[in-house]
Amino acid sequence: MQGKGLITIVAIVLGLICLNELIPTWYASKIESQIEAANGNEREIKTLKEQTLKDKEMKLGLDLKGGINVLLEINQRDLVNDLTNFSTNPVLIEALNKTDEVQKNSTKSYIDNFFVQFDAINKAKGTNLKLADPEIFGNTNLSEIKYNTPDDQVKSIVKRRIDLSVGTAFEVIRTRIDKVGAIQPNVQRVPGTARISVEMPGMKDRDKVKKMLQTSAKLQFWEVQQAQEVVPYFQSLSTMIAAKGDSIGISKKTDLMKLLQFEKLQSNGVGNIKISDTATVNKILHSKLAQSLRPANLKYTQFLWGYKPESTSPDDLVLYAIRGNINQKAPVDGAVESAKISYDDLGRIVVDMQMDSKGAKEWKTLTEKNVGKPVAVTLDGNVYTAPNVVNAIPNGRTQISGNFSQEEAKELVDVLGAGKLPAGAKVVQDTVVGPSLGQESINAGMMSFAIAFLIIIVYIIFYYGGAGVYAVIAMVINLFYIFGIMDSGDFTLTLPGIAGMVLTMAMAVDTNVIIYERTKEELFAGKNILQAYKDGFKHALSAIIDGHLTTLLTAAVLFFFGTGPIKGFAITLGIGIIMTLFTSVALSRVMIFSRLEKGKGLSVWTAPTKNLFRNTWIDFIGKRKIAYGISVVLTIISLGSIFTNGFKYGIDFTGGRNYVIRFEKPVSAEDVESDLVKLFKTEDGKNSSVEAKTFGNDNQLKISTDYLIEDESLKADQTIEHKLYEGLKSHLPAKLTFEEFKGADKGQTGIISSEKVGATVADDIVTHGVLAVVAALAGIFIYILVRFRKWQFSLGAVAALFHDAVIILGAYSLLHRFMPFNMEINQDFIAAVLTVLGYSINDTVIIFDRIREYLREKKSVTLAGLFDDSISSTLGRTFNTTFTVLLVILAIFIFGGDNLRGFMFALLIGIGFGAYSSIFIASAIAYDFLKTGKEDEVHGKSTSDKEVLASK
């Protein structure tokens, strides 16, 4: 056989590379088992950990290992402010404010939206400002911009500088992660955005991680306004609350002066508030009514909280009044060159630091101006200390005190030492998966994987006998290659990735089915076994390549438009498709012909399956109008439900937070929902949406809410977790603490996973999802048009895919209220739809390929007969592929765990209707648009020849 030697060499080399990559994973797994067996022996555990090969083992996603995934967004308004040197030009400020509003519902970058808004406001006001104006970007921060630089050139320069700043932020964040000792972290920039994705498997403390990532490390120093300047304003507010408190969601009986607890004040703050009352004080101070009452001396004042409670008042937080200005630029805003842990004269832990040259000069000026007065040291909006200045400080050296523990001081030193972010950062999406849920996902995923694999092995050997054994060998090698390539390419294996592997196995079965069915046809035509296999491989190749390329196209669309788990699925599926072509076509061919050329036989059937579908002939074209009727009815029902019932959208599409919570005993979702909805109220007193639903076992709930979704701060996350804890107390063990509740370990009660998707990210996901589906349909239309040279085939294929998508959407709209598993429209659903499109077009391509072959060979005398002959001759392949894939999906649906059930249900519906639509929609529509009405002008067998076919 030609090329046999080359294929063998490639297979061996690829196998050795994969083996070399996978051995460290096996070894690390072995060491981890020994660590568990060490059972607390610290010296032994340390020795074993040093032996692990964590950097070389295969990366597991959060859904398999547990951990934290965070999507950070660098504040581009901060970057623009910095580049304009904090200009207060009214056109600039209005453009920035308008951009902030537009950005909430836009998928364009912040800076692109800013330029649009600036141009519009500039034109509307008739100010004729150029971007190179000194009050905009023509300042010392952008020396390459001159007074006559054209706007288009300025835009290019600004975009480049912002991109460099995001790159700087990426490097700073990566350095910080290295300092905390995360194992196998994955840090990536999201192309075309100011976002950075951070995945940290094995990490559990979300608050610590988010704080470490979001901290800008840009220390700021402010003048402090003291109580005597602020008390008159607070008294006015207290009077206002008594009269109009209801309008801002505060009881009129609220006594602000009492909440401030002036009698307990021991620092340079303006209030000493109980932690439980801080939310109420925030609501008052940030209300529009309170803003309107501010006197001139407090117009730009920022009310900031202390970093943590003072040691003398552990239940209180100090409120500070920081003297601001129109652009809220700090008098001292310098980076830290070095920081270290030290101790003050009283033996308390402090952080000593040295500022850079710019900060040192500004610090000297500020301290000279405020001798005898307090100056606040803030880090990311929290006041760490606000001591009185004794003397001017000329050298840039200063000290931060804040009632630190050793660990807190170390975290601060690590953050400062890693360098400052060029702008603030906020978490717009995060996912936390507890270790117990990760292990359960592994167990469920591997069980479904093993069962699906066993089903395929049994079925293909039962159906194809000896040839089936070679198909199984090729599949095993295929899986080995996929794991090896995933490991060597440093790709992350996720639960959807395992699903992609199982579907790859199904596709490998499809490839073998096509080859063996064509080989059977050649054997029935009277050819000897060797020639039959040669012609079987030869005639099957075109259909196999077409099917694989269309599925590869779908995988590419998923990769480029998807995020997170969808990318994992797309990567695995893409690698699997390529490896299937190599193992099931090239390598399988080498193995089979090595046997045949030695004169040994190789059966391609078993006694029960030899004549299955052999003489089957059905008048599909004659029955197409019945099928049209069925499809029209189903489509009308689906569209009717879509427009009346709508969908249950996941937080991927709407924004919000999900929490999976485990209880000791079964709980009522309705009772929990009614308990929580009372707590999740907005500032105007309205209830936010809260939904509780059983998730898997009846002692687990998935709780979703859009409460505080616009607030992307760490404090908002903590507020919601506290409300969950309070609302669920009656269902939790009496001794369960809040800390235990929010970070449930293996087998414990509490939050075992959580997910947050910000509103802006949700908009992006919706847009990318729609684009993915449209791009897939357009790509498939073009591919079919190029491959089959007739637009009628493309039209039929896309119509069938549209039909399948509508049926799946209709099923999710009709059934989401009744099914005991998650049927949300989310990223996973989009991945499922695109997977169905890939498999459906694969079915269609096989039939179209046979139609093209019969047209070329002029095998029939009527077009209808030719279509019927083509479809009937591929029934064996259609049944075997669809049946096998459905069995595999059913196995994953039953045994694969709750996270995959909604995904697999979409595939179950889609694959079934995909096989139906390939015959009754794609082929039928292609026929109706190809026919001319003059049947005698078209070559092919007529439908009356079915008796002749049956007698052969």
Side-chain angles (χ1 to χ4, degrees), residues 233-515:
Y233 170 60
F234 286 160
Q235 290 171 337
S236 299
L237 282 182
S238 193
T239 304
M240 177 271 294
I241 292 168
K244 301 179 180 179
D246 292 344
S247 65
I248 61 172
I250 298 293
S251 170
K252 292 181 179 180
K253 296 180 181 180
T254 302
D255 188 340
L256 177 61
M257 303 306 288
K258 187 176 180 180
L259 293 180
L260 292 169
Q261 300 186 110
F262 288 119
E263 72 280 0
K264 296 177 67 176
L265 198 59
Q266 298 179 8
S267 64
N268 287 314
V270 293
N272 206 66
I273 295 95
K274 287 182 179 179
I275 293 173
S276 58
D277 292 329
T278 55
T280 302
V281 173
N282 271 334
K283 188 179 287 188
I284 295 169
L285 294 177
H286 296 141
S287 66
K288 290 182 179 178
L289 203 54
Q291 299 284 339
S292 67
L293 289 175
R294 286 195 178 195
N297 69 316
L298 300 178
K299 184 176 181 180
Y300 300 114
T301 297
Q302 301 178 69
F303 289 101
L304 302 181
W305 295 101
Y307 159 68
K308 63 183 292 188
E310 299 286 339
S311 57
T312 53
S313 302
D315 298 323
D316 303 330
L317 272 183
V318 177
L319 180 69
Y320 293 88
I322 304 300
R323 193 184 305 282
N325 47 59
I326 189 171
N327 55 18
Q328 298 297 4
K329 184 179 181 183
V332 181
D333 193 349
V336 176
E337 287 189 343
S338 63
K340 65 180 181 178
I341 298 174
S342 186
Y343 300 89
D344 64 10
D345 295 337
L346 299 176
R348 294 173 302 188
I349 298 173
V350 295
V351 174
D352 278 335
M353 62 176 196
Q354 174 65 50
M355 296 183 192
D356 62 13
S357 57
K358 177 176 177 289
K361 290 176 183 177
E362 293 173 343
W363 183 225
K364 180 184 177 184
T365 302
L366 182 65
T367 53
E368 283 177 341
K369 180 181 175 183
N370 288 277
V371 172
K373 298 177 184 178
V375 170
V377 181
T378 69
L379 185 67
D380 290 351
N382 291 309
V383 178
Y384 275 68
T385 185
N388 288 321
V389 177
V390 178
N391 298 302
I393 303 173
N395 55 11
R397 298 191 68 84
T398 192
Q399 192 177 79
I400 306 174
S401 59
N403 190 25
F404 295 121
S405 67
Q406 189 76 26
E407 184 180 355
E408 288 169 337
K410 182 181 182 305
E411 288 174 13
L412 180 58
V413 167
D414 284 344
V415 167
L416 295 174
K420 69 174 182 177
L421 291 176
K426 60 182 178 180
V427 173
V428 292
Q429 182 178 359
D430 73 74
T431 304
V432 181
V433 180
S436 59
L437 191 62
Q439 188 58 49
E440 288 166 12
S441 296
I442 290 177
N443 296 340
M446 294 311 294
M447 179 183 287
S448 67
F449 188 87
I451 291 172
F453 194 53
L454 186 62
I455 288 171
I456 290 175
I457 289 173
V458 171
Y459 184 81
I460 201 166
I461 293 177
F462 162 76
Y463 202 94
Y464 291 110
V469 174
Y470 281 91
V472 169
I473 293 170
M475 267 196 297
V476 172
I477 296 172
N478 189 5
L479 282 175
F480 175 68
Y481 285 162
I482 293 172
F483 277 111
I485 292 170
M486 291 279 291
D487 200 359
S488 63
D490 213 24
F491 299 118
T492 302
L493 181 63
T494 62
L495 202 56
I498 290 179
M501 286 189 184
V502 175
L503 292 172
T504 295
M505 288 194 299
M507 189 139 193
V509 170
D510 180 41
T511 302
N512 286 291
V513 166
I514 295 170
I515 294 168

Side-chain angles (χ1 to χ4, degrees), residues 711-723:
D711 188 344
E712 291 162 339
S713 68
L714 178 59
K715 182 169 282 188
D717 296 334
Q718 293 169 336
T719 299
I720 293 172
E721 287 169 352
H722 275 285
K723 285 183 178 289

Side-chain angles (χ1 to χ4, degrees), residues 204 434-437 662 740-752:
K204 293 188 291 183
S436 59
L437 191 62
R662 179 174 291 158
E740 290 170 337
F741 168 76
K742 77 169 189 176
D745 212 330
K746 292 185 178 180
Q748 290 182 341
T749 299
I751 299 173
I752 57 176

Side-chain angles (χ1 to χ4, degrees), residues 586-632:
L587 192 57
S588 178
R589 182 184 175 99
V590 168
M591 291 188 293
I592 288 173
F593 280 96
S594 293
R595 177 183 177 89
L596 294 176
E597 287 169 358
K598 293 175 183 177
K600 297 178 181 179
L602 185 64
S603 64
V604 76
W605 55 61
T606 59
T609 63
K610 179 177 180 180
N611 293 308
L612 278 178
F613 302 107
R614 181 182 174 188
N615 296 319
T616 303
W617 193 96
I618 300 172
D619 184 8
F620 290 105
I621 295 301
K623 295 177 174 59
R624 73 189 186 283
K625 291 182 181 177
I626 299 172
Y628 282 164
I630 293 170
S631 291
V632 167

Side-chain angles (χ1 to χ4, degrees), residues 868-893:
D868 286 337
D869 292 346
S870 301
I871 298 169
S872 296
S873 66
T874 57
L875 272 181
R877 177 265 163 200
T878 301
F879 173 81
N880 278 322
T881 299
T882 304
F883 181 67
T884 309
V885 172
L886 287 177
L887 280 178
V888 167
I889 293 171
L890 193 61
I892 304 173
F893 177 76

Side-chain angles (χ1 to χ4, degrees), residues 30 96 139 191 277 335 355 367 450 519 544 557 588 593 606 672 707 758 763 783 809 835 856 870 944:
K30 177 184 174 183
L96 286 170
N139 58 71
D277 292 329
M355 296 183 192
T367 53
T519 302
I544 290 170
V557 169
S588 178
F593 280 96
T606 59
V672 166
Y707 180 65
D763 286 334
Y783 182 83
L809 287 167
T835 304
R856 187 169 56 245
S870 301
S944 63

